[in-house]
Amino acid sequence: MDKKYLFEESPVRKAVITLAIPTVISQLITVIYNIADTFFIGQLDDPVQVAAATVAMPPFIFLTGIANLFGIGGASLISRDLGGNHPERAKNVSAFAVWGGILTAFLYGMAFMVIRPVLLPLMGTTPETYELTYQYVFYTVTLGAVPTVLSTILAHLVRTEGYAKQASLGLTMGGILNIILDPLMIFGLHMQIQGAALATLLSNCAACIYFLVLMRKNRKNLCIRIHPRDFTLKKQIPREVLVVGLPSFVMTLMSFFSNVTLNQLVAGYSSEAVAGMGIAKKVDMGGFAVAQGMTQGVLALIGYNYAAGNRERMGKTIRIALFYSAGLALAGSVLLYLFAAPLSGIFIDNGETIQYSQRFIRILCLSLPLSSCIMMAVTVFQATGKKLPPLILSLCRKGGLDVPFMLLYHFLGGVYGIAWATPTADVLTALLSAALFFPYWKKLKKTMES
């Protein structure tokens, strides 16, 4: 009854805050523990190790794409099933999302291990960073693929039933554990970059255990199930989950392609330049995490009320969430621009790396408010089961637009020109998202009025 009240009757502003704030916090904690790796590795004052961790991030980020493919796709369908009063189908959806994600993550981790001698040089490793990069991805990707993907999928599924605080707690616990283990592994056990990777693996395993215990304790109140007997390929479940989750997966896939291209171009300058870009990207992730947390937090609320036919409540949810998301992103953009230099100095005591980092931060942070608007449009399309518009936006924002601009700006403006590709791509994608969103919103408003 509490969940039903939250989704159907509670004041919309309160419902948005209840669902979104814990998700934002968990996203920020995830960013913080990703930043912690860079921070503690940076305390070694070795730009080569920071550069190796930077090059190793794209294959690890790709795991987020796999998790979002099954997690966001499953969460969207479950929220619509619950809104349409189909709890039995919701059980089948959750089982498909979990086991599909586990199998895909395992195959990805094994495939990466086999083709790493070819793939790592293509990602931007140099003779001095190759072995260090391999050490990092061995723990985070080869061994860590399944727990990383599973913990994120379970967070999405638990959140879609109204357990936003519990989902946030699980991811936060994993992040805090990572931060505690980083210095212990890096300095205490003298494992250096391997220690940071092992800390990430152990923290994701701990988060998985937390979610499994949470689901067992609340199994009478949850529709989601992970038992293999509930797994099915019928009822159009695979198609619905994968097609709706595809835009988020494509966005991460294109981000992988974008980051690899970025690392390749910047690696042509120096390890200090790669390290500076790595620091800037990690810092910029903090602002993006707010927008992502707000939109992921309200996805279930939008989808539930869409399926229940309560379009007025759905519309109010979208407006309030967008206002909060864009406002927070704007504030974050201003803070990052003003404090770029001291933030860079926190990570490493190397003048050349700090010089690169602060310039990159001031360029990348400019498009954070636009990113929040793009993410909100993508979320609305996903929550309501639309397939093509979010896929188009995902293809454009990362890879489709920023990579060509990277190549162009690299030719015109050198290493700093490369960073300007991201704001340019976000401006164009924001215009495209408006062109796709407002006609769709107009149709939804007509159904509200009728």
Side-chain angles (χ1 to χ4, degrees):
M1 290 301 296
D2 289 339
K3 287 185 290 183
K4 189 177 179 67
Y5 173 77
L6 177 66
F7 283 111
E8 295 183 4
E9 300 176 31
S10 70
V12 175
R13 193 178 302 274
K14 180 181 179 182
V16 168
I17 291 173
T18 300
L19 292 169
I21 295 303
T23 313
V24 169
I25 292 172
S26 67
Q27 288 289 334
L28 287 173
I29 293 294
T30 302
V31 170
I32 288 170
Y33 87 69
N34 279 319
I35 289 175
D37 280 0
T38 303
F39 171 78
F40 287 114
I41 293 171
Q43 302 313 296
L44 298 168
D45 288 331
D46 183 0
V48 175
Q49 294 208 46
V50 178
T54 300
V55 176
M57 281 311 296
F60 180 70
I61 291 173
F62 190 80
L63 294 172
T64 304
I66 297 174
N68 288 342
L69 174 65
F70 291 94
I72 290 180
S76 172
L77 186 53
I78 288 171
S79 67
R80 283 178 278 137
D81 282 340
L82 295 178
N85 197 26
H86 303 295
E88 286 302 318
R89 188 172 184 238
K91 293 179 182 179
N92 299 138
V93 173
S94 57
F96 172 80
V98 168
W99 289 105
I102 289 174
L103 177 61
T104 306
F106 175 77
L107 293 176
Y108 169 70
M110 294 302 101
F112 193 91
M113 182 67 176
V114 172
I115 63 175
R116 63 177 171 78
V118 176
L119 191 56
L120 289 181
L122 292 176
M123 288 165 44
T125 57
T126 62
E128 62 180 352
T129 61
Y130 178 89
E131 185 60 31
L132 293 170
T133 303
Y134 166 64
Q135 292 172 9
Y136 193 92
V137 297
F138 175 73
Y139 288 104
T140 58
V141 176
T142 301
L143 299 181
V146 170
T148 299
V149 168
L150 181 58
S151 61
T152 305
I153 290 175
L154 293 177
H156 283 304
L157 299 185
V158 167
R159 190 182 297 123
T160 201
E161 290 213 52
Y163 287 80
K165 291 180 181 178
Q166 290 83 350
S168 173
L169 180 61
L171 296 177
T172 299
M173 180 201 68
I176 292 173
L177 180 61
N178 193 324
I179 294 169
I180 294 171
L181 291 176
D182 263 341
L184 175 63
M185 300 290 183
I186 295 171
F187 307 111
L189 300 181
H190 306 289
M191 294 180 68
Q192 300 190 347
I193 193 171
Q194 286 188 70
L198 180 57
T200 299
L201 169 61
L202 294 176
S203 65
N204 284 323
C205 289
C208 280
I209 294 170
Y210 164 85
F211 281 114
L212 293 174
V213 171
L214 173 70
M215 291 174 64
R216 180 164 181 80
K217 286 180 64 177
N218 294 276
R219 60 187 181 276
K220 293 182 180 179
N221 300 320
L222 291 170
C223 285
I224 57 175
R225 294 289 185 271
I226 61 171
H227 198 284
R229 68 167 173 264
D230 292 307
F231 179 90
T232 181
L233 299 178
K234 300 177 181 179
K235 306 178 184 179
Q236 294 188 327
I237 288 173
R239 178 182 177 276
E240 283 294 314
V241 170
L242 297 178
V243 171
V244 173
L246 184 62
S248 295
F249 173 77
V250 168
M251 187 178 291
T252 308
L253 178 63
M254 299 306 284
S255 179
F256 174 90
F257 176 53
S258 171
N259 282 322
V260 167
T261 304
L262 178 68
N263 290 335
Q264 283 277 18
L265 293 174
V266 178
Y269 292 88
S270 65
S271 292
E272 287 79 9
V274 177
M277 178 59 78
I279 291 170
K281 294 284 282 186
K282 289 290 183 71
V283 171
D284 186 64
M285 281 171 61
F288 185 75
V290 174
Q292 194 171 36
M294 286 294 301
T295 55
Q296 288 184 3
V298 298
L299 184 146
L301 186 60
I302 295 170
Y304 185 99
N305 284 284
Y306 174 79
N310 194 344
R311 304 297 167 82
E312 183 178 354
R313 184 175 176 81
M314 183 191 77
K316 195 170 182 181
T317 299
I318 295 169
R319 288 192 296 271
I320 292 173
L322 179 59
F323 175 78
Y324 285 151
S325 179
L328 290 171
L330 179 61
S333 182
V334 172
L335 290 174
L336 291 180
Y337 191 90
L338 293 176
F339 297 101
L343 283 171
S344 301
I346 290 173
F347 290 90
I348 192 169
D349 186 17
N350 181 281
E352 188 176 354
T353 302
I354 291 172
Q355 182 64 30
Y356 279 119
S357 176
Q358 64 177 323
R359 289 282 298 275
F360 289 143
I361 289 173
R362 284 179 174 145
I363 296 170
L364 295 175
C365 74
L366 296 176
S367 61
L368 284 177
L370 291 177
S371 297
S372 68
C373 297
I374 296 167
M375 288 297 299
M376 193 70 238
V378 170
T379 297
V380 172
F381 287 129
Q382 288 180 313
T384 56
K386 301 295 286 185
K387 281 81 174 179
L388 188 58
L391 182 59
I392 293 172
L393 294 177
S394 301
L395 284 169
C396 287
R397 185 175 179 270
K398 284 292 182 183
L401 289 175
D402 67 340
V403 168
F405 280 111
M406 279 183 203
L407 300 173
L408 175 63
Y409 290 169
H410 175 235
F411 175 75
L412 296 176
V415 66
Y416 293 115
I418 299 170
W420 280 104
T422 296
T424 304
D426 280 343
V427 168
L428 295 176
T429 307
L431 293 174
L432 178 59
S433 67
L436 293 172
F437 178 79
F438 285 113
Y440 182 58
W441 179 247
K442 208 170 180 181
K443 290 181 182 178
L444 290 176
K445 285 184 73 175
K446 284 184 180 178
T447 63
M448 292 179 206
E449 293 166 0
S450 62

